[in-house]
Amino acid sequence: GYETHRLPEDAFFEGMGDALEWNGVIFSGYPIRTSQNAHEYIERLMGKTVHSIELVDDKFYHVDVCMCPTDKGDLLLYPPALSPDSR
């Protein structure tokens, strides 16, 4: 019963670990396992703003291993995993 969508061949999106929703916005990581050009498709399909987060440390290969929303509405993050512009 799910509708599926196919990204263009040059757009790579590994999956849920590279998309994190917080306060109605989606943070999506690149370039380790997802390409930045996939973010525009995710934004259009989900109908939500996607902020591209550049990951700069291979140990932090997904957004969900360096960012974590809390039940109090805060967002925890490990800054060295992100590029200065993404911080």
Side-chain angles (χ1 to χ4, degrees):
Y2 292 99
E3 182 178 358
T4 59
H5 300 270
R6 189 174 292 269
L7 295 176
E9 288 188 26
D10 68 334
F12 302 98
F13 178 65
E14 186 172 78
M16 192 60 193
D18 261 349
L20 178 69
E21 186 175 359
W22 181 64
N23 287 344
V25 173
I26 297 173
F27 293 93
S28 188
Y30 75 96
I32 298 172
R33 294 188 178 185
T34 292
S35 59
Q36 187 176 15
N37 66 336
H39 297 171
E40 66 184 74
Y41 298 101
I42 296 166
E43 187 170 65
R44 191 169 42 239
L45 290 170
M46 300 299 293
K48 296 185 179 197
T49 299
V50 174
H51 289 292
S52 297
I53 303 296
E54 183 180 16
L55 304 171
V56 295
D57 186 329
D58 288 347
K59 293 181 296 231
F60 300 95
Y61 51 86
H62 277 163
V63 170
D64 69 349
V65 298
C66 59
M67 299 174 72
C68 177
T70 72
D71 59 355
K72 294 185 180 192
D74 298 318
L75 183 67
L76 304 174
L77 67 97
Y78 182 66
L82 313 176
S83 71
D85 287 342
S86 292
R87 289 183 213 148

